[in-house]
Short mmCIF file of all heavy atoms in Angstrom, two decimals:
data_model
loop_
_atom_site.label_atom_id
_atom_site.label_comp_id
_atom_site.label_asym_id
_atom_site.label_seq_id
_atom_site.Cartn_x
_atom_site.Cartn_y
_atom_site.Cartn_z
N THR C 223 11.49 78.48 13.90
CA THR C 223 12.22 77.27 13.25
C THR C 223 11.97 77.36 11.80
O THR C 223 12.92 77.25 10.91
CB THR C 223 11.84 75.96 13.80
OG1 THR C 223 12.01 75.88 15.21
CG2 THR C 223 12.52 74.70 13.15
N ASN C 224 10.72 77.57 11.33
CA ASN C 224 10.41 77.76 9.88
C ASN C 224 11.21 78.84 9.32
O ASN C 224 11.78 78.64 8.15
CB ASN C 224 8.94 78.05 9.74
CG ASN C 224 8.09 76.96 9.46
OD1 ASN C 224 8.34 76.26 8.36
ND2 ASN C 224 7.16 76.49 10.28
N SER C 225 11.44 79.97 9.96
CA SER C 225 12.15 81.07 9.39
C SER C 225 13.54 80.70 9.22
O SER C 225 14.21 80.98 8.16
CB SER C 225 11.95 82.27 10.28
OG SER C 225 12.79 83.36 9.81
N ILE C 226 14.24 80.12 10.20
CA ILE C 226 15.55 79.65 10.11
C ILE C 226 15.91 78.62 9.06
O ILE C 226 16.88 78.80 8.26
CB ILE C 226 16.09 79.18 11.49
CG1 ILE C 226 16.09 80.18 12.58
CG2 ILE C 226 17.48 78.49 11.48
CD1 ILE C 226 16.18 79.75 13.91
N LEU C 227 15.03 77.64 8.99
CA LEU C 227 15.23 76.53 8.08
C LEU C 227 14.91 77.13 6.54
O LEU C 227 15.63 76.61 5.63
CB LEU C 227 14.31 75.31 8.31
CG LEU C 227 14.57 74.64 9.59
CD1 LEU C 227 13.70 73.46 9.80
CD2 LEU C 227 16.09 74.24 9.81
N ASN C 228 14.06 78.01 6.42
CA ASN C 228 13.78 78.58 5.14
C ASN C 228 15.05 79.36 4.65
O ASN C 228 15.36 79.37 3.48
CB ASN C 228 12.61 79.67 5.12
CG ASN C 228 11.30 78.95 4.77
OD1 ASN C 228 11.17 78.44 3.71
ND2 ASN C 228 10.31 78.98 5.64
N PHE C 229 15.76 79.93 5.64
CA PHE C 229 17.02 80.71 5.29
C PHE C 229 17.98 79.65 4.72
O PHE C 229 18.54 79.94 3.64
CB PHE C 229 17.54 81.40 6.44
CG PHE C 229 18.93 81.98 6.19
CD1 PHE C 229 19.10 83.13 5.51
CD2 PHE C 229 20.06 81.27 6.53
CE1 PHE C 229 20.38 83.72 5.30
CE2 PHE C 229 21.36 81.75 6.27
CZ PHE C 229 21.49 82.89 5.69
N PHE C 230 18.18 78.63 5.45
CA PHE C 230 19.11 77.53 4.91
C PHE C 230 18.71 77.03 3.56
O PHE C 230 19.52 76.85 2.68
CB PHE C 230 19.16 76.49 5.83
CG PHE C 230 19.95 76.76 7.14
CD1 PHE C 230 19.41 76.34 8.42
CD2 PHE C 230 21.10 77.54 7.17
CE1 PHE C 230 20.19 76.66 9.63
CE2 PHE C 230 21.82 77.85 8.29
CZ PHE C 230 21.26 77.46 9.51
N GLN C 231 17.37 76.82 3.37
CA GLN C 231 16.90 76.12 2.09
C GLN C 231 17.11 77.17 0.96
O GLN C 231 17.52 76.72 -0.16
CB GLN C 231 15.49 75.78 2.21
CG GLN C 231 15.00 74.99 0.95
CD GLN C 231 13.69 74.25 1.36
OE1 GLN C 231 13.69 73.14 2.00
NE2 GLN C 231 12.58 74.78 0.93
N GLU C 232 16.80 78.41 1.21
CA GLU C 232 17.09 79.47 0.18
C GLU C 232 18.57 79.51 -0.31
O GLU C 232 18.85 80.04 -1.30
CB GLU C 232 16.56 80.81 0.62
CG GLU C 232 15.06 80.82 0.78
CD GLU C 232 14.58 82.17 1.42
OE1 GLU C 232 15.54 82.94 1.89
OE2 GLU C 232 13.39 82.41 1.56
N ASN C 233 19.36 79.03 0.58
CA ASN C 233 20.85 79.11 0.32
C ASN C 233 21.36 77.73 -0.03
O ASN C 233 22.54 77.42 0.01
CB ASN C 233 21.70 79.64 1.50
CG ASN C 233 21.51 81.15 1.67
OD1 ASN C 233 22.24 81.86 1.08
ND2 ASN C 233 20.51 81.49 2.45
N GLY C 234 20.47 76.93 -0.62
CA GLY C 234 20.85 75.60 -1.16
C GLY C 234 21.03 74.50 -0.19
O GLY C 234 21.49 73.42 -0.60
N ILE C 235 20.67 74.58 0.99
CA ILE C 235 20.71 73.60 2.05
C ILE C 235 19.36 73.00 2.35
O ILE C 235 18.52 73.66 2.73
CB ILE C 235 21.35 74.08 3.38
CG1 ILE C 235 22.81 74.78 3.09
CG2 ILE C 235 21.48 73.09 4.46
CD1 ILE C 235 23.36 75.52 4.27
N LYS C 236 19.33 71.67 2.13
CA LYS C 236 17.96 71.05 2.25
C LYS C 236 18.05 69.93 3.36
O LYS C 236 17.00 69.19 3.49
CB LYS C 236 17.56 70.39 0.98
CG LYS C 236 17.31 71.45 -0.14
CD LYS C 236 16.74 70.83 -1.37
CE LYS C 236 16.46 71.93 -2.44
NZ LYS C 236 15.86 71.44 -3.69
N GLY C 237 19.12 69.89 4.07
CA GLY C 237 19.28 68.86 5.17
C GLY C 237 20.22 69.28 6.15
O GLY C 237 21.13 70.03 5.94
N PHE C 238 20.09 68.76 7.35
CA PHE C 238 21.01 69.21 8.41
C PHE C 238 22.45 68.79 8.22
O PHE C 238 23.43 69.49 8.56
CB PHE C 238 20.52 68.59 9.80
CG PHE C 238 19.36 69.29 10.40
CD1 PHE C 238 17.97 68.74 10.13
CD2 PHE C 238 19.50 70.47 11.12
CE1 PHE C 238 16.95 69.40 10.70
CE2 PHE C 238 18.38 71.04 11.54
CZ PHE C 238 17.13 70.56 11.46
N PRO C 239 22.69 67.63 7.52
CA PRO C 239 24.18 67.25 7.30
C PRO C 239 24.88 68.34 6.40
O PRO C 239 26.22 68.35 6.43
CB PRO C 239 24.05 65.95 6.54
CG PRO C 239 22.76 65.29 7.01
CD PRO C 239 21.79 66.48 7.16
N ASP C 240 24.23 69.07 5.70
CA ASP C 240 24.73 70.11 4.79
C ASP C 240 25.05 71.37 5.49
O ASP C 240 25.67 72.34 4.97
CB ASP C 240 23.87 70.40 3.55
CG ASP C 240 23.65 69.19 2.73
OD1 ASP C 240 24.54 68.37 2.72
OD2 ASP C 240 22.61 68.91 2.22
N ILE C 241 24.52 71.51 6.77
CA ILE C 241 24.81 72.74 7.59
C ILE C 241 26.29 72.87 8.02
O ILE C 241 26.66 71.90 8.71
CB ILE C 241 23.81 72.93 8.68
CG1 ILE C 241 22.37 72.91 8.19
CG2 ILE C 241 24.14 74.12 9.54
CD1 ILE C 241 21.39 73.06 9.27
N THR C 242 26.95 73.92 7.77
CA THR C 242 28.34 74.03 8.24
C THR C 242 28.50 75.28 9.07
O THR C 242 27.54 76.05 9.22
CB THR C 242 29.32 74.16 6.97
OG1 THR C 242 28.94 75.39 6.29
CG2 THR C 242 29.04 72.98 6.01
N CYS C 243 29.66 75.39 9.64
CA CYS C 243 29.98 76.68 10.33
C CYS C 243 29.77 77.92 9.43
O CYS C 243 29.28 78.90 9.95
CB CYS C 243 31.42 76.60 10.79
SG CYS C 243 31.92 77.98 11.77
N ASP C 244 30.14 77.88 8.16
CA ASP C 244 30.00 78.99 7.33
C ASP C 244 28.48 79.33 7.08
O ASP C 244 28.11 80.55 7.11
CB ASP C 244 30.74 78.69 5.98
CG ASP C 244 32.18 78.64 6.08
OD1 ASP C 244 32.66 79.24 7.08
OD2 ASP C 244 32.85 78.09 5.22
N SER C 245 27.65 78.34 6.98
CA SER C 245 26.25 78.60 6.73
C SER C 245 25.64 79.21 7.95
O SER C 245 24.69 80.05 7.85
CB SER C 245 25.49 77.37 6.29
OG SER C 245 25.71 76.42 7.11
N VAL C 246 26.00 78.80 9.15
CA VAL C 246 25.49 79.30 10.41
C VAL C 246 25.97 80.84 10.52
O VAL C 246 25.21 81.64 10.84
CB VAL C 246 25.88 78.50 11.64
CG1 VAL C 246 25.54 79.22 12.94
CG2 VAL C 246 25.34 77.10 11.58
N SER C 247 27.21 81.07 10.14
CA SER C 247 27.76 82.38 10.26
C SER C 247 27.01 83.30 9.24
O SER C 247 26.82 84.50 9.58
CB SER C 247 29.22 82.39 9.91
OG SER C 247 29.96 81.62 10.85
N ALA C 248 26.72 82.74 8.08
CA ALA C 248 25.93 83.61 7.07
C ALA C 248 24.56 84.03 7.58
O ALA C 248 24.12 85.12 7.39
CB ALA C 248 25.76 82.72 5.80
N TYR C 249 23.98 83.09 8.42
CA TYR C 249 22.64 83.53 9.07
C TYR C 249 22.88 84.56 10.05
O TYR C 249 22.11 85.66 10.13
CB TYR C 249 21.94 82.34 9.63
CG TYR C 249 20.73 82.62 10.46
CD1 TYR C 249 19.45 82.77 9.66
CD2 TYR C 249 20.72 82.88 11.79
CE1 TYR C 249 18.41 83.04 10.35
CE2 TYR C 249 19.57 83.23 12.48
CZ TYR C 249 18.35 83.25 11.68
OH TYR C 249 17.18 83.61 12.40
N ALA C 250 23.89 84.44 10.82
CA ALA C 250 24.22 85.45 11.89
C ALA C 250 24.48 86.82 11.25
O ALA C 250 24.15 87.85 11.73
CB ALA C 250 25.49 85.07 12.72
N ILE C 251 25.23 86.88 10.06
CA ILE C 251 25.43 88.13 9.33
C ILE C 251 24.28 88.86 8.97
O ILE C 251 24.17 90.04 8.91
CB ILE C 251 26.44 87.91 8.17
CG1 ILE C 251 27.76 87.47 8.69
CG2 ILE C 251 26.46 89.05 7.31
CD1 ILE C 251 28.70 86.92 7.62
N THR C 252 23.15 88.09 8.68
CA THR C 252 21.82 88.82 8.38
C THR C 252 21.30 89.56 9.40
O THR C 252 20.42 90.47 9.19
CB THR C 252 20.92 87.66 7.82
OG1 THR C 252 20.45 86.87 8.89
CG2 THR C 252 21.39 86.88 6.68
N LEU C 253 21.76 89.34 10.67
CA LEU C 253 21.30 90.13 11.83
C LEU C 253 21.87 91.49 12.00
O LEU C 253 21.45 92.28 12.93
CB LEU C 253 21.41 89.26 13.08
CG LEU C 253 20.86 87.83 13.09
CD1 LEU C 253 21.10 87.16 14.36
CD2 LEU C 253 19.33 87.90 12.82
N LYS C 254 23.00 91.69 11.22
CA LYS C 254 23.72 92.95 11.36
C LYS C 254 22.78 94.20 11.19
O LYS C 254 21.98 94.22 10.30
CB LYS C 254 24.86 93.00 10.33
CG LYS C 254 25.75 94.30 10.44
CD LYS C 254 26.74 94.26 9.28
CE LYS C 254 27.61 95.56 9.42
NZ LYS C 254 28.59 95.63 8.33
N GLY C 255 22.91 95.09 12.13
CA GLY C 255 22.10 96.25 12.04
C GLY C 255 20.92 96.23 13.03
O GLY C 255 20.25 97.22 13.27
N HIS C 256 20.57 95.05 13.49
CA HIS C 256 19.42 94.94 14.37
C HIS C 256 19.81 95.35 15.81
O HIS C 256 21.05 95.43 16.13
CB HIS C 256 18.92 93.52 14.44
CG HIS C 256 18.21 93.02 13.20
ND1 HIS C 256 16.91 93.37 12.95
CD2 HIS C 256 18.58 92.35 12.16
CE1 HIS C 256 16.53 92.92 11.79
NE2 HIS C 256 17.61 92.28 11.25
N ALA C 257 18.86 95.61 16.56
CA ALA C 257 19.05 95.94 17.99
C ALA C 257 19.74 94.85 18.73
O ALA C 257 19.63 93.63 18.28
CB ALA C 257 17.83 96.29 18.72
N LYS C 258 20.51 95.09 19.81
CA LYS C 258 21.25 94.03 20.42
C LYS C 258 20.32 93.01 21.07
O LYS C 258 20.65 91.81 21.02
CB LYS C 258 22.13 94.76 21.65
CG LYS C 258 23.22 95.49 21.20
CD LYS C 258 24.02 96.01 22.34
CE LYS C 258 25.26 96.83 21.96
NZ LYS C 258 26.02 97.36 23.10
N SER C 259 19.20 93.44 21.56
CA SER C 259 18.31 92.42 22.14
C SER C 259 17.72 91.51 21.06
O SER C 259 17.46 90.35 21.33
CB SER C 259 17.15 93.08 22.83
OG SER C 259 16.45 94.01 21.96
N THR C 260 17.57 92.12 19.87
CA THR C 260 17.03 91.22 18.66
C THR C 260 18.08 90.27 18.27
O THR C 260 17.75 89.03 18.17
CB THR C 260 16.63 92.13 17.59
OG1 THR C 260 15.58 93.03 17.92
CG2 THR C 260 16.12 91.31 16.34
N MET C 261 19.41 90.77 18.20
CA MET C 261 20.41 89.82 17.86
C MET C 261 20.60 88.62 18.92
O MET C 261 20.74 87.49 18.49
CB MET C 261 21.66 90.56 17.64
CG MET C 261 21.67 91.57 16.55
SD MET C 261 23.30 92.60 16.53
CE MET C 261 24.43 91.26 16.18
N ARG C 262 20.43 89.05 20.12
CA ARG C 262 20.66 87.99 21.20
C ARG C 262 19.58 87.04 20.98
O ARG C 262 19.78 85.78 21.24
CB ARG C 262 20.59 88.70 22.53
CG ARG C 262 20.68 87.74 23.70
CD ARG C 262 20.52 88.50 25.08
NE ARG C 262 21.54 89.43 25.24
CZ ARG C 262 21.32 90.83 25.26
NH1 ARG C 262 20.13 91.28 24.98
NH2 ARG C 262 22.28 91.72 25.42
N GLY C 263 18.32 87.50 20.83
CA GLY C 263 17.17 86.53 20.75
C GLY C 263 17.28 85.74 19.58
O GLY C 263 17.04 84.47 19.64
N GLU C 264 17.66 86.24 18.36
CA GLU C 264 17.67 85.42 17.16
C GLU C 264 18.88 84.33 17.23
O GLU C 264 18.67 83.19 16.85
CB GLU C 264 17.97 86.26 16.00
CG GLU C 264 16.78 87.19 15.59
CD GLU C 264 15.62 86.39 15.11
OE1 GLU C 264 15.77 85.37 14.61
OE2 GLU C 264 14.51 86.89 15.53
N LEU C 265 20.01 84.76 17.85
CA LEU C 265 21.16 83.77 18.04
C LEU C 265 20.67 82.67 19.00
O LEU C 265 21.07 81.50 18.80
CB LEU C 265 22.34 84.40 18.52
CG LEU C 265 23.06 85.43 17.55
CD1 LEU C 265 24.15 86.09 18.21
CD2 LEU C 265 23.47 84.69 16.21
N SER C 266 19.87 83.03 20.04
CA SER C 266 19.39 82.05 20.96
C SER C 266 18.49 81.02 20.32
O SER C 266 18.63 79.84 20.54
CB SER C 266 18.79 82.71 22.15
OG SER C 266 18.26 81.87 23.02
N ARG C 267 17.68 81.58 19.36
CA ARG C 267 16.69 80.64 18.72
C ARG C 267 17.38 79.65 17.82
O ARG C 267 17.03 78.43 17.79
CB ARG C 267 15.68 81.60 17.93
CG ARG C 267 14.81 82.40 18.82
CD ARG C 267 13.91 83.23 18.04
NE ARG C 267 13.01 84.08 18.96
CZ ARG C 267 13.23 85.39 19.04
NH1 ARG C 267 14.16 86.09 18.27
NH2 ARG C 267 12.53 86.15 19.89
N ILE C 268 18.30 80.17 17.03
CA ILE C 268 18.98 79.19 16.13
C ILE C 268 19.91 78.20 16.94
O ILE C 268 19.97 77.00 16.51
CB ILE C 268 19.88 80.00 15.08
CG1 ILE C 268 20.36 78.87 14.06
CG2 ILE C 268 21.05 80.70 15.70
CD1 ILE C 268 21.14 79.48 12.96
N ARG C 269 20.38 78.73 18.05
CA ARG C 269 21.14 77.78 18.86
C ARG C 269 20.19 76.61 19.49
O ARG C 269 20.61 75.49 19.51
CB ARG C 269 21.75 78.52 20.06
CG ARG C 269 22.70 77.73 20.79
CD ARG C 269 23.48 78.53 21.89
NE ARG C 269 24.35 79.69 21.32
CZ ARG C 269 24.09 80.91 21.34
NH1 ARG C 269 23.01 81.35 21.90
NH2 ARG C 269 24.89 81.81 20.81
#
């Protein structure tokens, strides 16, 4: 959770009301290039 929220905060988001579909997609894009199992796990965690 710390890692995920740090990502949002580094991108100017300091509260849950500011999280949008685009910001969630931006986090998902950072997983590009990882193994499928890693991507599955990371998406499950943010979900």
Side-chain angles (χ1 to χ4, degrees):
T223 303
N224 261 299
S225 177
I226 293 168
L227 297 183
N228 265 303
F229 170 83
F230 287 138
Q231 187 163 283
E232 289 171 358
N233 285 272
I235 299 171
K236 296 186 178 181
F238 284 99
D240 298 327
I241 297 177
T242 64
C243 181
D244 289 340
S245 53
V246 174
S247 296
Y249 177 81
I251 290 174
T252 65
L253 305 177
K254 183 180 179 181
H256 288 279
K258 290 182 177 180
S259 58
T260 301
M261 293 177 64
R262 181 184 298 109
E264 291 296 327
L265 292 177
S266 175
R267 292 181 186 107
I268 187 173
R269 191 175 291 113

